[in-house]
Structure formats: C-alpha cells, structure tokens
Amino acid sequence: MIPAQFDYVAPQSVEDALTALAEAGDDAKVLAGGQSLLPILRLRMNTPETIIDLGRIPALREVSEDGDAVVIGAMATHDEIRHHPLVRDHARLLSSALAEVADPQVRHRGTLGGALVHADPAGDAGAPALALDAEMVIAGPNGTRTVTADDFFVGLFESAVGEDELLVQVRVPKHTDWGGHYEKFVRTAQQWSIVAVAATIRVDGGTIADARVALTNMGSTPLRARSVEQALIGQAPSPEVVRQAAASAADGTEPPSDLNGAADYRQHLAGVLTRRAVLAAAEV
Ligand SMILES: Cc1cc2nc3c(=O)[nH]c(=O)nc-3n(C[C@H](O)[C@H](O)[C@H](O)COP(=O)(O)OP(=O)(O)OC[C@H]3O[C@@H](n4cnc5c(N)ncnc54)[C@H](O)[C@@H]3O)c2cc1C
C-alpha cells in the first residue's frame, strides 16, 4: 500500500528538529532509518501529517569517545556501529548483537536510535543496551536529560522518549576488558529473535569478577537476568558453574506464546542460550 499523504521536513540541526516537532504537535512522526516506520505508514497503521527526517543532521551519526564512555549518535546505523573500532574495543557485546539484526540491507539503513525508541521486545538492541548499562541522552523543549537503560524501556513498543523529544545519543560505559556475546535463536535466517541472550563478562585471575546478562523477547521489554549474574560472580567460569547459573535465566519472566514458540519453550530456550552466551563471553 502507499502511505497517506504527509508533509516532509528535513531539518539540519537537533534544535531545528525539535522546533519542527513542537510546531507539528501530535501529528508528527520522526523518521530515522525508516525500517520500522515505513512499513507502519504503508499499512496505514499510522497516518502522521508531518514526517521529520533526521537524516540531514550529521552530528547525530557520529561515534566518539568521552572519557569512560563510547558515545553513539542516535542516527548511526547498525552496520556503522558494529564495525566501529571504538565499539569493537570497548563494547564487544553491542558489536556482536548488531551483527544479528536482520540482513545487510536493514543493517545499512536501520539506526540504533530508531531501534531503541521503537522498543520492539524482539529487537536485538535493547538487551545489549541493558547489559552494558547504557545511558540514553534525550533532547526536548526543556533541554536534555539522561535516562538509564533500566528506565528507558517503559512497556511494549514504548520507550521513555516523549512525543516532543528526540533520542540524540547512546552513552555506553567502556567495557574494555570484558568479553561479550549475543546468542540469538531463530527458525529461519534473518528472522526476528524468538529468544536471544546478551552477556558481557569480566574474568580476572580465573574468576568471574563482573557479569551482566539480559534477555530479548522474554517479556514486553528487555529484561536483566540478575539471578544469573549473582550466581556467576565470584565463580570460576567452568561449564558446570555456567550451566547451573543459566538454569535460573527464565525465573520471573512472562514471555509471549506465538507461532514461533510457546511461553514454556521460550523459557527453556532462555536457559540454553544463556549458557551459550556466557560461555562465549567468558571465552571458555
Ligand atoms: C525486514 C526487516 C527485518 C528486521 N529484523 C530485525 C531483527 O532481526 N532485529 C532487530 O533488532 N530489528 C530488526 N528490524 C528492525 C530494524 O532494526 C530497524 O532498523 C529498527 O527497528 C528501527 O530503526 P530505524 O532507524 O529504521 O527507525 P525508524 O523506522 O525510522 O523509526 C522507528 C520509530 O522510532 C522513532 N524514532 C526513530 N529515531 C528516533 C529518534 N532519534 N528520536 C525519537 N524517535 C525516533 C520513529 O518515529 C518511529 O516511531 C527489521 C526490519 C525489517 C524491515
């Protein structure tokens, strides 16, 4: 189908984009890579009067470092981020996860900011953002505010970014000496995650000193698997220790049931994928 008619604006600064948003009010929609928004417009599930394209704001596409953080512009694409040396050196988990998003075409158009704001529970960006303790920098009419990944995912397809706001940056604390791995389970190549697990682990002197584990598509938002993390910290990263810790991965989760799998199957998968993700992250 062809989208309903809309006005198109392409501001060249964040300030101009915020002004355009304020002027257009509730009937505006922000366009990033368009990989989620365009299908929605074509199906006429949403018919905004104004589209505000962020694609002409070069500053939003930069990846840089600021002290202990890697700073990723909201409009950097999945492909740019996953190959960026700063991300590969300091946030290996994110690089691993974005390699699993869809296919090369989608990865070259889709952006980290768009994926996070879209907040699809099956999306592959949310769990790594949680596991890496990322912070989201949000610009609005009253200035900028920073929201932790823990507070960013509000509900199903709902993030902390308001109608009059823009996600401008994602700040990822450097995890330089940490291993990282994203284990995604799909039935067919390039599918959305049925379940996936993000793990980042720091091993020091043969012991797991730090562990962060987060789950994709095990509820309406990405979830931290804190019981797994607690069971891992202080232990040697042996296959048996990891197997026992991973057994609690699905505790307290309420995953969906659909044609790709029942909820109890997803809970089983969460344990299996957590074991694989942690072993790979710890390089066992
Ligand atoms: C065939 C196909 C397969 C896919 N498979 C996967 C997959 O396996 N895993 C996966 O994770 N994703 C997958 N995706 C989605 C892909 O990752 C998208 O890139 C992502 O969901 C949206 O990013 P985008 O930049 O295209 O955002 P858009 O589609 O442009 O925008 C998405 C939403 O976010 C809002 N928005 C965008 N940027 C901002 C911003 N900076 N500030 C405020 N609001 C903003 C928009 O208004 C819109 O509501 C797939 C997409 C397609 C088409």
Side-chain angles (χ1 to χ4, degrees), residues 29-30 32-37 78 102 110-111 114-115 123-124 167 184 192:
K29 209 70 187 134
V30 169
Q35 299 303 294
S36 296
L37 183 59
H78 303 310
T111 67
D124 296 307
L167 175 62
K184 173 169 172 171
W192 289 81

Side-chain angles (χ1 to χ4, degrees), residues 74-97:
M75 287 294 289
T77 66
H78 303 310
D79 196 69
E80 287 164 347
I81 297 166
R82 87 180 179 98
H83 290 300
H84 200 287
L86 283 173
V87 177
R88 284 215 300 241
D89 289 351
H90 303 299
R92 211 172 306 163
L93 167 60
L94 186 59
S95 189
S96 167

Side-chain angles (χ1 to χ4, degrees), residues 35 76-83 97-111 190:
Q35 299 303 294
T77 66
H78 303 310
D79 196 69
E80 287 164 347
I81 297 166
R82 87 180 179 98
H83 290 300
L98 296 184
E100 299 294 330
V101 171
D103 50 48
Q105 290 95 323
V106 173
R107 290 198 294 270
H108 277 84
R109 296 293 307 179
T111 67
Q190 302 173 350

